[in-house]
Amino acid sequence: MILRRHLRDRGRGMDLRLIRYFLQVASSGSFSKAALQLEMPQPSLSRNIRKLEGVLGGILFHRDGRGAHLTLLGRSFLVHAQTIVEAWQDAEEELHRLTQSTRGSVSFGLPSSVGRVLSVPLARRLGEAYPDLSIRILEGFSGHVAEWLQNGQIDIAVLYRGSLSPGLISEVLAAEELYCFATPDAFRALDGCDTPEAPIPFGALARTPLVLPGRPHGLRRYLDRAARENDLELQVVLEVDALYTTFEAARAQIGMAIMPKAALAGDLVSNGMVARRIEAPVLTQNLYLATGARRPNFAAGPEMISLIKAISAELVAKEYWVPART
């Protein structure tokens, strides 16, 4: 209790160096040995110990011919001194790790449809939060992104359910609702409807030519499964594994395209295309935030994951995405 009162009342004058000097003398049991180990003159070491004793208000060592021995105050202070130095070392290591990690690099993998709406906000917000961090964003098919994550080529990924594997840690992020994209003329020819905002039944799409990705693509597998479950057969006239070419093929009226609304964000009005929500059934694909078997091995990893979630919530609010199904 007396020592705690001394530390509270007089501890402001304490210097971490003085505590280290004290520990060295206590460890070696001799001022002369401690001075050699600290590579400093013995008189200077003695002055520093006296300064510490002045702060604590008592004598820390008794000296005799055999060396320096801790007093009662010294033995009591020894436990506190060791705790203080260990805590400081832990803080130094943690801060060093954090500083080094935010000066390193982080890589994200995103499906192309996700990248259209997530890449730029993610890069901008990360750049603002971690100006010394090198950011890399790779876009590709969900299956390829999953392979990059498993191989350690990227740190964090957004994936569709079909690309998940037991070796990944994942959680539901949001969902992409699928739309049918085509020219207004193509829609009028299909159902005579002149209201672009009207939903279109999934069954109606089975009666019209479609431009879709090839079967290895997760979206194509999902659509084929949905067609089977609804006793439909999709009329695929062209398989394209590129967003831009799919869009151009739909604009040229080769066939209608089915893809997430966010996939062609910003292009619809400028290119005279129409997006119509699919119903009966409504088609949605969950998006998952995934990392490797271990969370990202950089200190800022949890903050980056939280940032992705925050941006995803904003995309839901803007109706690019929808709340995810559990």
Side-chain angles (χ1 to χ4, degrees), residues 6-24:
H6 277 303
L7 292 174
R8 184 186 66 238
D9 296 340
R10 312 178 71 172
R12 292 182 180 179
M14 187 140 343
D15 187 327
L16 188 63
R17 290 178 307 148
L18 302 182
I19 298 176
R20 294 184 188 278
Y21 295 159
F22 163 77
L23 289 174
Q24 193 64 56

Side-chain angles (χ1 to χ4, degrees), residues 103-178:
R103 288 179 179 171
S105 63
V106 61
S107 54
F108 297 87
L110 307 172
S112 298
S113 60
V114 174
R116 292 298 301 270
V117 291
L118 184 58
S119 291
V120 172
L122 180 60
R124 183 178 64 249
R125 302 267 279 274
L126 279 175
E128 293 170 353
Y130 306 101
D132 295 325
L133 188 68
S134 175
I135 303 165
R136 186 184 183 198
I137 296 177
L138 289 79
E139 294 185 11
F141 296 129
S142 186
H144 294 160
V145 174
E147 289 179 9
W148 299 337
L149 185 59
Q150 290 172 324
N151 295 336
Q153 294 176 253
I154 57 176
D155 299 300
I156 307 175
V158 175
L159 300 171
Y160 295 106
R161 183 186 183 96
S163 300
L164 297 175
S165 73
L168 302 178
I169 298 174
S170 64
E171 57 184 300
V172 179
L173 185 64
E176 287 189 323
E177 194 169 46
L178 299 182

Side-chain angles (χ1 to χ4, degrees), residues 119-261:
S119 291
V120 172
L122 180 60
R124 183 178 64 249
R125 302 267 279 274
L126 279 175
E128 293 170 353
Y130 306 101
D132 295 325
L133 188 68
S134 175
I135 303 165
R136 186 184 183 198
I137 296 177
L138 289 79
E139 294 185 11
F141 296 129
S142 186
H144 294 160
V145 174
E147 289 179 9
W148 299 337
L149 185 59
Q150 290 172 324
N151 295 336
Q153 294 176 253
I154 57 176
D155 299 300
I156 307 175
V158 175
L159 300 171
Y160 295 106
R161 183 186 183 96
S163 300
L164 297 175
S165 73
L168 302 178
I169 298 174
S170 64
E171 57 184 300
V172 179
L173 185 64
E176 287 189 323
E177 194 169 46
L178 299 182
Y179 278 63
C180 183
F181 290 85
T183 63
D185 289 341
F187 280 120
R188 279 193 292 269
L190 175 64
D191 57 11
C193 181
D194 216 10
T195 54
E197 68 278 5
I200 184 169
F202 185 44
L205 298 181
R207 306 192 303 270
T208 189
L210 295 174
V211 178
L212 297 179
R215 280 201 166 85
H217 195 285
L219 174 60
R220 177 62 180 278
R221 294 199 304 270
Y222 175 76
L223 291 172
D224 285 345
R225 184 172 66 252
R228 289 194 303 272
E229 291 172 353
N230 290 273
D231 296 322
L232 300 173
E233 184 175 351
L234 302 179
Q235 307 301 312
V236 181
V237 296
L238 178 62
E239 293 184 340
V240 179
D241 291 340
L243 283 176
Y244 178 79
T245 305
T246 299
F247 180 78
E248 289 299 307
R251 187 167 67 149
Q253 299 192 36
I254 293 174
M256 293 184 172
I258 299 175
M259 59 185 68
K261 181 181 180 181

